[in-house]
Amino acid sequence: MTTATLQILDTADGPFAILSDERDRVLVSGWTDDAEAVLARLRPDRRPTEVVPGETAAAEAVRAYYAGDVTAIDAVTVAQYGTAMQLAGWEALRRVAPGAPLTYTGFAAALGSPAAVRAAASICARNAPALFVPCHRVLRGDGTMGGFAWGVEIKRRLLAREVAA
């Protein structure tokens, strides 16, 4: 990949960046307007050689999500690269229903490896297209927030928004 498109949207949770490849698949997304922070979510060998500002297809889903349609993000196409377990994990995250978060233990069990809690947490931590692959829907075993690349407060607000919907 040589060129990627970066779009920054205003949301109720602050600026939201979407980096899409030449096929308009989301590579990275998150709550920032810092292009370097966006690129840092990709392995160096997966970073585009050029980033241009522009419109992405995913932007409409973000607007719909923030307007109350929390399932609008489900159909957005993403591009992720990783191990077979990571790819399976990211696909499983897309099946976690809004308003019904899992614990890391529950997520590991959903992957067929109930003892692989650390691996499940790592899959969440390495998830680049946040929101579209809803890693924010995974909590610690005691129900607390745990970590989130874009901040625990944003994670809390996303979960509250999804419960309310």
Side-chain angles (χ1 to χ4, degrees):
M1 175 184 51
T2 57
T3 303
T5 301
L6 179 64
Q7 182 173 8
I8 310 290
L9 302 168
D10 289 323
T11 73
D13 294 320
F16 185 80
I18 303 168
L19 183 71
S20 293
D21 68 10
E22 293 166 332
R23 293 171 48 195
D24 213 12
R25 300 175 303 174
V26 177
L27 299 168
V28 180
S29 53
W31 291 263
T32 185
D33 57 4
D34 180 350
E36 290 304 316
V38 172
L39 290 171
R41 297 291 295 160
L42 291 173
R43 287 185 358 206
D45 64 324
R46 293 287 180 189
R47 292 181 187 154
T49 54
E50 181 181 18
V51 175
V52 297
E55 297 289 317
T56 64
E60 191 54 42
V62 174
R63 290 183 189 104
Y65 176 90
Y66 276 96
D69 180 2
V70 296
T71 63
I73 59 174
D74 296 348
V76 172
T77 304
V78 300
Q80 291 177 284
Y81 305 94
T83 66
M85 185 168 185
Q86 287 171 327
L87 293 170
W90 294 325
E91 186 59 37
L93 284 170
R94 296 198 88 177
R95 293 189 298 271
V96 178
L102 295 176
T103 63
Y104 289 107
T105 303
F107 179 48
L111 294 175
S113 300
V117 177
R118 284 182 190 243
S122 176
I123 287 167
C124 291
R126 293 187 187 338
N127 177 45
L131 187 62
F132 307 110
V133 178
C135 58
H136 65 274
R137 295 180 186 157
V138 183
L139 306 171
R140 287 184 176 152
D142 64 2
T144 59
M145 292 290 118
F148 186 58
W150 304 104
V152 173
E153 188 52 38
I154 288 176
K155 181 175 183 171
R156 187 180 330 280
R157 284 188 244 153
L158 294 171
L159 292 170
R161 182 175 291 108
E162 291 175 358
V163 166

